[in-house]
Amino acid sequence: MTDTPKDLTDHLKARILANGPLTIADYMSECLLHPTLGYYTTRDPLGASGDFTTAPEISQMFGELIGLCLAQTWLDHGAPAPFALTELGPGRGTLMADILRATASVPGFHAAARIHLIEASDTLRTAQAEALDGHKIDWHYQLSTLPEIPLLLVANEFFDALPIRQFLRDEGNAWRERRVGLVDGKLAFGAGDPAEVPALSGRLAETKQGQLIEICAAAEAIASEIGAHISDHGGAALIIDYGDWASYGDTFQAVKSHKKTSPLTTPGQADLTAHVDFAALANAVQGAASCAATAMIPQGVFLERLGITHRAQQLAQALSGAALENHIAAHRRLTHPDEMGNLFKILALYDGRFSPPPGLQT
Ligand code: SAH
């Protein structure tokens, strides 16, 4: 194994030969964020010519409504100034650009906003700088370097990229961890020896032998940090992603050129994700004195409550032909239960001394 490997598959095989099979989390981290060969570090994966398309890339309406939701939350929380307008994993910067355009006319909002982006990829940092030209931006690798001021945060399709571990329920109270090893010289899934895992004792009652569960320590740690920041300094966070309340079964997947592929065939060349366990995120803020979690609701319901159909009709008036067709399709894609409307969910973490963000009140 050399310090600067040329090929990610060779590097992974060398690691496995040297230290044994990798946890799914180690495999995911290497594939997505290896400093020179990782998926996110070497490319802009978004859009029609890339591997996948996200809500802000589908239509400007998504970012506009998120922007108005954040601005109303800011007003409801007493219009603190300054505050950290923060995004986790901002991709091409499209969502933040739409948020800023939609909130330009909210008196005092831009003057109070300090823009902070948490982004691991230098390639995507460059794209973000271009999309947000004219705005002062601070980039971070983690939340801990954010200034100690109120936080208004958004994370769209960020948590699904964080490394998960998978455990198969075995006999009794034991679990076997799913790993990536080598079979006949090729990367292959396998499972470790059965062992009791204290961190999973809470999942024993709800699982049976043969069932698989996933845990994402990084997601829980980040949610807990957001909770502590909100508890200490105020604010709110909107978390949007695919997933559900608790996680059951294998949701580890790879997508390349808009098609599903095996997570093991093209390491570093395909997007790797897992469904987000929203219950784990909500539970992670329980220790934060004044940070509350809303109920999780489907993206389609959230966007309808924020008035997406009205906004779609407004924008449609200036459109005709193919542009109008595309616009109608984008509205459907974001909201319809057969498209992203139901698969994607939203949960907010917020300063419980104030009301929850609009669209998330129960
Ligand atoms: N939010 C964007 C992009 C989603 S893709 C959108 O909706 O279009 C995931 C983003 O998270 C990318 O910008 C990726 O580089 C970033 N990312 C993934 N893992 C990260 C990590 N551990 N730390 C910081 N950024 C990360």
Side-chain angles (χ1 to χ4, degrees):
M1 193 165 26
T2 59
D3 285 339
T4 49
K6 300 232 160 15
D7 179 90
L8 192 59
T9 306
D10 290 345
H11 167 66
L12 292 164
K13 287 181 180 174
R15 253 195 88 171
I16 294 167
L17 286 172
N19 303 315
L22 301 170
T23 63
I24 305 291
D26 285 342
Y27 179 77
M28 251 181 118
S29 300
E30 288 272 35
C31 290
L32 293 179
L33 293 177
H34 184 281
T36 54
L37 301 168
Y39 179 72
Y40 282 115
T41 28
T42 52
R43 78 200 65 218
D44 170 357
L46 291 146
S49 59
D51 292 313
F52 61 96
T53 304
T54 56
E57 302 294 334
I58 291 171
S59 166
Q60 68 185 73
M61 294 186 289
F62 183 79
E64 289 172 352
L65 294 171
I66 297 285
L68 295 178
C69 176
L70 290 174
Q72 188 61 51
T73 305
W74 177 71
L75 290 169
D76 292 344
H77 288 210
F83 73 94
L85 180 58
T86 304
E87 187 173 353
L88 283 172
R92 286 180 171 168
T94 309
L95 174 56
M96 186 54 82
D98 290 339
I99 289 172
L100 289 167
R101 199 185 55 256
T103 53
S105 59
V106 178
F109 189 78
H110 279 208
R114 305 288 176 269
I115 304 169
H116 292 274
L117 303 180
I118 294 158
E119 174 57 66
S121 156
D122 287 338
T123 310
L124 289 172
R125 284 182 180 209
T126 305
Q128 291 153 19
E130 276 168 29
L132 299 168
D133 191 27
H135 294 279
K136 184 184 175 305
I137 315 282
D138 279 316
W139 277 274
H140 303 257
Y141 288 100
Q142 62 262 316
L143 284 156
S144 58
T145 52
L146 286 177
E148 297 188 343
I149 56 178
L151 178 71
L152 281 182
L153 178 145
V154 61
N156 185 62
E157 290 209 43
F158 167 77
F159 281 91
D160 65 51
L162 298 177
I164 53 143
R165 288 170 71 183
Q166 295 187 321
F167 292 90
L168 279 158
R169 182 79 190 273
D170 204 71
E171 282 178 359
N173 289 346
W175 302 88
R176 300 174 70 194
E177 180 157 15
R178 199 159 177 244
R179 293 175 191 269
V180 178
L182 289 174
V183 173
D184 298 333
K186 290 206 173 97
L187 296 172
F189 287 113
D193 292 334
E196 294 199 11
V197 183
L200 297 180
S201 57
R203 310 286 311 256
L204 287 170
E206 57 185 33
T207 48
K208 289 205 225 56
Q209 187 174 358
Q211 271 187 328
L212 185 145
I213 61 157
E214 299 174 335
I215 58 170
C216 186
E220 289 172 33
I222 290 172
S224 154
E225 257 185 293
I226 294 172
H229 191 110
I230 289 174
S231 197
D232 291 347
H233 308 290
L238 303 177
I239 298 170
I240 309 135
D241 227 306
Y242 43 106
D244 221 323
W245 196 253
S247 112
Y248 297 98
D250 177 13
T251 73
F252 184 41
Q253 69 165 34
V255 169
K256 189 167 156 51
S257 304
H258 300 268
K259 291 199 186 77
K260 279 197 186 176
T261 166
S262 155
L264 302 186
T265 45
T266 50
Q269 311 282 317
D271 187 35
L272 298 180
T273 60
H275 282 201
V276 171
D277 175 352
F278 284 89
L281 302 184
N283 288 339
V285 305
Q286 273 181 352
S290 60
C291 182
T294 64
M296 176 195 82
I297 61 168
Q299 171 173 300
V301 172
F302 175 67
L303 294 176
E304 288 298 349
R305 284 183 184 171
L306 293 182
I308 193 170
T309 298
H310 176 73
R311 178 68 182 135
Q313 284 162 349
Q314 219 178 24
L315 287 169
Q317 312 223 314
L319 300 172
S320 61
L324 180 59
E325 301 286 307
N326 287 343
H327 173 63
I328 293 167
H331 172 264
R332 186 187 146 90
R333 221 170 140 189
L334 290 177
T335 57
H336 198 281
D338 292 343
E339 306 241 7
M340 296 172 82
N342 215 18
L343 175 63
F344 280 72
K345 311 290 193 313
I346 174 155
L347 171 87
L349 308 175
Y350 66 103
D351 183 343
R353 291 167 295 188
F354 299 97
S355 48
L360 289 150
Q361 283 111 347
T362 38

